[in-house]
Amino acid sequence: MTQEFPNQTSSPLWTSESVRLEKLAWRQELGRRAIARSRMNRVCLMLLIWLCLIFSVRAEEVPFLAPQQRPQLEANQPWPADRFLVLAYHDVEDDAADQRYLSVRTSALNEQIAWLLHNGYHAISVQDILDAHYGLKSLPPKAFLLSFDDGYSSFYTRVWPLLKAWNVPALWAPVGSWVDTPAGQPVNFGGLMTPRERFATWEMVRELSRSPLVEIGAHTWASHYGLPANPQGSREPAAANRGWDKTTGRYESDAQFTRRMTDDVQKVTAKIHEVAGKTPRAWVWPYGAASGSTLTIAKQQGYQLAFTLNDGLGNVKDLDNIPRLLIAGNPSLKAFASAVTQIQEADPVRVMHVDLDYVYDPNPVQQAKNIDKLVQRVYDMKISHVFLQAFSDPQGDGTVKSLYFPNRWLPMRADLFNFVSWQLQTRGNVKVYAWMPVLAFDLASDLPRVQRWDPQTGKALLARQPYVRLSPWDPRVRQQITDIYEDLARHASFSGILFHDDAVLTDFEDVSPEAVAAWRQTGMAHDAAPVPQRPQERQAWMRFKSQTLTRFTLDLRQAVQAIRGPQVKTARNLFALPILEPQSEAWFAQNLDDFLAAYDWTVPMAMPLMESVPIDASQAWLTRLVQAVARHPGALKKTIFELQARDWNRRQQNAIPDQQLADWMRLLRLNGVKNYGYYPDDFINNQPDISRIRPQFSSWWYPDHD
């Protein structure tokens, strides 16, 4: 008999199904309670299903919208106040544009500056940005700043004359060690031995520092290279990642990393101060890769702005995370103009949600094959994001007993997350979000768990559905979970965090002593029972729990950003019922408005079959869900709808038919949804079939270019 999964012994997909059914039963129970509390009888329910069947026939009908009523491009909107565009250049050459140095031709740079000025863009300086930050002035609309990295001599010979001719300021951020290379010796440019004359001298830096048009920034002293950052040998930006020492089998400690980067920042800062006579204020990340730990060091040395290569416009209110548009490949003027005018347009987000348990295999050969298969599939799909599991849950019961990264509190199943994440980023060209639990960690038994009040017995029992969870009101729990998140940030490269759906509390949870004590301390508790009975107090109890969970996740975000950097985004799973029936916040401790305000992305689980919606009524249900979100202004721009690729009501052969999944995707698009994904992706068995769903999933392949 053929096994469905080659690595079934170590990462079974189907062993978890029985346990997933238990979670499904919990959700069904909540659904039944919702029906009961809404005073729906069986006849009404049948009528509702009949109406859904009727509306499902019309679900794909889209009314005509006049052009003025349609969503407008951001480029057609007024320029947002105190926002600015930063263009990132490197070398400039008169003849060939050598892409080893990300060069553009001098003539192209001249044309680009002319185009900007002739099309209403206003050149600004670093000082202008700082003045706007401190409220001393406002930036003009369509403000832009030119920046030049690495320290090439072309900035002196070719760029500076253009700056003077056009009266345009610029930021110049050299790598100290490259400029410090003695005359006649080649510059070690990331392993490429480069002629010394391609790089500037300190004399050039000194002369240009006197010009009011030139701001001298720092691009590190000697940290513009990749170092081994995991046991597999992935070379990641040295200024943003802790190194892996193959000889000792250990990562850099916090102390070692801090000492290495402190020495680097101090050296480049002191040298620029010596040459220019003033302390540099602008820090430019090598490769655009930021680190919260290094940023703290830089700010201690007097840096006030930090530049990445992230997408979008800069904001004078956030100088720790200034995005830049990379100009490379010597683009045509048309391509340049297109990139600039579309800088505010957000690309559609398309997400594959992947279990790392599917990738793991004790056989390193098989595991390597699994990784390659996953990366190739992601690359072929041409999507934007992967939500990647950072914890291990091979049994599927939601109790996290091990992790895929080094940490202080749980066993490490394998040091795998960072390697797979880096492979997906560099080979698959996607952003990776670390999918992490919030409360469902199997930590020490003496830590309090969420308890459920049983009104029939009047006793508090361990809550087991949907997961066994730690009580978020215990300071030891919060600290240990924070430690785990910090350890993830230390040992992995990723773009964001996806908070799992285990951050949930029903109306009878949590009644652990720690939770009850915290509730009493609010001053809103008057009922003697652990669970309030009066409507007004019950409403306050509901909000108390929702806000506690949200605040805790935001604390976790802060802990991650302090190490990994302020560019790390957040997303959080949201059950569908709190969207469709807001009063059900009482049974989930989840609130759509809270999520939209707190996180970069809200991720509703748009999974009709999981909510016991018949397949024939699923399209009407999805339409209703989208419409409920759309009623919140701007919500669709911050929402990623996550479809189900499996029917967990069925034990075997439970993959959602490819056409059904494609139809759901099409329905979402027709209802104005730009951002969506699905869970899980079974890359081993090509489920869903990439050729069937790709035209509906990726705009790259639309309508069908196979």
Side-chain angles (χ1 to χ4, degrees):
M1 183 175 179
T2 304
Q3 286 188 332
E4 194 155 4
F5 299 94
N7 60 341
Q8 192 169 0
T9 58
S10 60
S11 54
L13 298 183
W14 299 110
T15 55
S16 65
E17 299 303 319
S18 61
V19 187
R20 294 185 191 275
L21 289 173
E22 296 180 9
K23 292 187 283 186
L24 177 66
W26 176 82
R27 297 185 181 103
Q28 292 172 332
E29 178 187 353
L30 291 175
R32 289 192 293 270
R33 289 168 60 183
I35 294 171
R37 293 179 185 236
S38 304
R39 302 179 184 273
M40 292 183 181
N41 56 32
R42 187 172 181 181
V43 175
C44 292
L45 182 59
M46 292 176 63
L47 178 61
L48 178 62
I49 294 174
W50 179 73
L51 291 172
C52 289
L53 290 172
I54 294 176
F55 288 129
S56 68
V57 179
R58 301 176 56 85
E60 296 187 21
E61 294 185 9
V62 180
F64 173 79
L65 290 178
Q68 63 271 22
Q69 297 177 317
R70 300 171 189 172
Q72 296 296 303
L73 295 174
E74 294 296 331
N76 295 334
Q77 306 294 336
W79 188 269
D82 284 335
R83 298 295 182 94
F84 57 98
L85 166 69
V86 185
L87 302 173
Y89 294 88
H90 289 77
D91 204 1
V92 178
E93 300 183 81
D94 289 339
D95 299 315
D98 193 336
Q99 290 312 296
R100 293 177 298 176
Y101 308 98
L102 301 180
S103 299
V104 300
R105 296 185 67 183
T106 311
S107 58
L109 175 61
N110 185 57
E111 290 176 344
Q112 291 161 13
I113 296 174
W115 183 91
L116 289 165
L117 296 177
H118 293 160
N119 283 276
Y121 290 82
H122 296 87
I124 60 170
S125 66
V126 167
Q127 186 61 54
D128 291 328
I129 297 172
L130 288 171
D131 288 345
H133 175 74
Y134 292 111
L136 302 178
K137 64 188 297 184
S138 296
L139 295 182
K142 302 174 76 172
F144 75 93
L145 172 68
L146 303 180
S147 70
F148 295 81
D149 294 359
D150 295 351
Y152 299 101
S153 59
S154 62
F155 186 85
Y156 181 88
T157 60
R158 301 184 179 96
V159 177
W160 191 29
L162 291 178
L163 300 181
K164 292 187 291 184
W166 291 106
N167 194 31
V168 170
L171 166 65
W172 189 29
V175 173
S177 63
W178 294 344
V179 178
D180 203 57
T181 303
Q185 294 186 16
V187 175
N188 186 351
F189 180 74
L192 175 65
M193 303 311 293
T194 299
R196 178 64 184 85
E197 56 269 21
R198 183 177 282 270
F199 285 87
T201 64
W202 289 119
E203 288 72 22
M204 294 177 182
V205 175
R206 180 178 291 108
E207 182 178 352
L208 292 183
S209 70
R210 302 189 184 108
S211 170
L213 294 177
V214 179
E215 178 85 20
I216 305 297
H219 205 32
T220 75
W221 177 261
S223 296
H224 201 308
Y225 67 97
L227 52 63
N230 52 46
Q232 296 87 349
S234 300
R235 303 192 72 85
E236 302 179 19
N241 295 279
R242 286 153 177 78
W244 168 265
D245 189 334
K246 186 177 180 180
T247 59
T248 63
R250 294 180 179 177
Y251 287 93
E252 276 185 299
S253 65
D254 283 357
Q256 290 170 324
F257 178 85
T258 300
R259 184 166 54 251
R260 172 167 66 86
M261 289 311 305
T262 298
D263 290 346
D264 186 285
V265 177
Q266 287 179 341
K267 191 169 184 179
V268 70
T269 305
K271 185 64 177 182
I272 292 175
H273 184 273
E274 174 193 333
V275 172
K278 49 191 173 184
T279 301
R281 304 180 292 181
W283 180 262
V284 181
W285 293 106
Y287 314 104
S291 159
S293 301
T294 303
L295 180 62
T296 298
I297 297 169
K299 295 175 77 170
Q300 291 170 348
Q301 295 297 315
Y303 292 90
Q304 301 178 57
L305 310 92
F307 294 82
T308 69
L309 288 173
N310 295 327
D311 302 326
L313 297 177
N315 187 338
V316 299
K317 297 178 181 179
D318 183 14
L319 301 187
D320 290 346
N321 182 28
I322 302 175
R324 296 187 298 164
L325 175 62
L326 177 63
I327 307 300
N330 194 44
S332 66
L333 188 60
K334 180 180 180 181
F336 173 83
S338 177
V340 169
T341 55
Q342 296 183 50
I343 188 66
Q344 299 183 67
E345 308 300 336
D347 292 330
V349 172
R350 304 294 162 81
V351 180
M352 293 166 62
H353 198 153
V354 176
D355 283 337
L356 201 49
D357 286 332
Y358 295 13
V359 176
Y360 170 78
D361 197 289
N363 182 345
V365 175
Q366 182 60 53
Q367 182 171 279
K369 291 180 179 179
N370 293 346
I371 294 171
D372 287 343
K373 197 167 188 176
L374 171 63
V375 173
Q376 187 65 53
R377 180 175 170 89
V378 168
Y379 179 81
D380 289 343
M381 193 74 83
K382 293 293 190 293
I383 56 168
S384 62
H385 291 63
V386 169
F387 291 163
L388 183 64
Q389 181 189 31
F391 58 95
S392 179
D393 182 23
Q395 301 304 316
D397 62 1
T399 302
V400 178
K401 296 181 173 61
S402 61
L403 301 166
Y404 283 113
F405 55 90
N407 70 96
R408 283 166 275 183
W409 294 108
L410 287 174
M412 181 175 66
R413 191 181 193 191
D415 194 349
L416 190 59
F417 177 82
N418 183 45
F419 178 65
V420 176
S421 175
W422 188 250
Q423 292 285 298
L424 288 169
Q425 293 175 68
T426 56
R427 296 170 56 197
N429 196 31
V430 294
K431 293 182 173 66
V432 175
Y433 278 42
W435 173 27
M436 284 285 288
V438 179
L439 301 175
F441 296 97
D442 191 25
L443 299 178
S445 59
D446 63 329
L447 295 176
R449 267 63 177 176
V450 170
Q451 294 184 16
R452 181 183 183 276
W453 182 255
D454 186 347
Q456 295 183 344
T457 63
K459 296 181 179 180
L461 306 172
L462 175 66
R464 297 186 177 277
Q465 297 296 336
Y467 314 94
V468 176
R469 291 146 288 155
L470 294 161
S471 176
W473 284 277
D474 185 87
R476 297 172 299 161
V477 167
R478 293 196 300 271
Q479 184 58 59
Q480 291 190 26
I481 294 175
T482 301
D483 291 345
I484 289 174
Y485 273 75
E486 289 178 343
D487 292 337
L488 171 68
R490 287 185 179 93
H491 298 102
S493 170
F494 50 89
S495 297
I497 295 283
L498 170 68
F499 295 115
H500 188 32
D501 64 9
D502 65 324
V504 61
L505 293 166
T506 72
D507 47 347
F508 290 99
E509 299 170 347
D510 177 14
V511 293
S512 64
E514 295 77 12
V516 173
W519 170 237
R520 300 292 183 199
Q521 290 174 3
T522 65
M524 296 182 290
H526 303 291
D527 284 352
V531 177
Q533 298 302 310
R534 303 175 204 175
Q536 187 173 359
E537 185 173 343
R538 199 174 183 89
Q539 176 74 14
W541 161 250
M542 172 191 74
R543 293 297 297 148
F544 171 68
K545 292 187 291 184
S546 292
Q547 293 168 353
T548 297
L549 291 176
T550 299
R551 281 195 299 267
F552 182 45
T553 59
L554 295 181
D555 290 341
L556 295 174
R557 177 188 67 184
Q558 184 177 3
V560 169
Q561 290 180 335
I563 296 172
R564 182 51 43 188
Q567 77 286 350
V568 175
K569 304 292 187 183
T570 54
R572 184 175 168 189
N573 277 135
L574 174 66
F575 286 96
L577 202 58
I579 300 174
L580 296 172
E581 301 181 24
Q583 70 273 16
S584 67
E585 179 183 0
W587 315 322
F588 294 89
Q590 294 184 343
N591 179 284
L592 176 59
D593 289 321
D594 288 354
F595 280 34
L596 293 171
Y599 310 109
D600 298 287
W601 293 105
T602 296
V603 188
M605 291 181 284
M607 303 179 179
L609 304 185
M610 191 178 73
E611 302 295 342
S612 301
V613 176
I615 194 72
D616 292 341
S618 62
Q619 294 205 5
W621 184 87
L622 283 172
T623 300
R624 181 179 166 224
L625 182 67
V626 173
Q627 291 173 344
V629 173
R631 283 194 286 270
H632 300 252
L636 289 181
K637 292 183 178 181
K638 299 187 64 178
T639 303
I640 303 171
F641 291 83
E642 189 164 29
L643 300 167
Q644 63 185 109
R646 296 199 179 278
D647 180 3
W648 292 292
N649 288 299
R650 304 169 60 185
R651 292 182 179 274
Q652 302 293 332
Q653 305 297 320
N654 63 355
I656 299 293
D658 300 323
Q659 189 58 52
Q660 180 62 71
L661 189 57
D663 288 346
W664 285 341
M665 292 177 178
R666 182 171 181 268
L667 176 73
L668 292 177
R669 291 206 332 274
L670 290 175
N671 281 275
V673 173
K674 292 179 61 177
N675 313 308
Y676 53 85
Y678 65 89
Y679 172 80
D681 183 79
D682 175 9
F683 59 91
I684 294 177
N685 289 297
N686 189 30
Q687 293 179 347
D689 189 323
I690 186 172
S691 65
R692 299 289 300 277
I693 71 163
R694 191 165 55 186
Q696 299 295 341
F697 194 40
S698 170
S699 57
W700 179 274
W701 299 99
Y702 182 82
D704 188 355
H705 299 309
D706 285 352

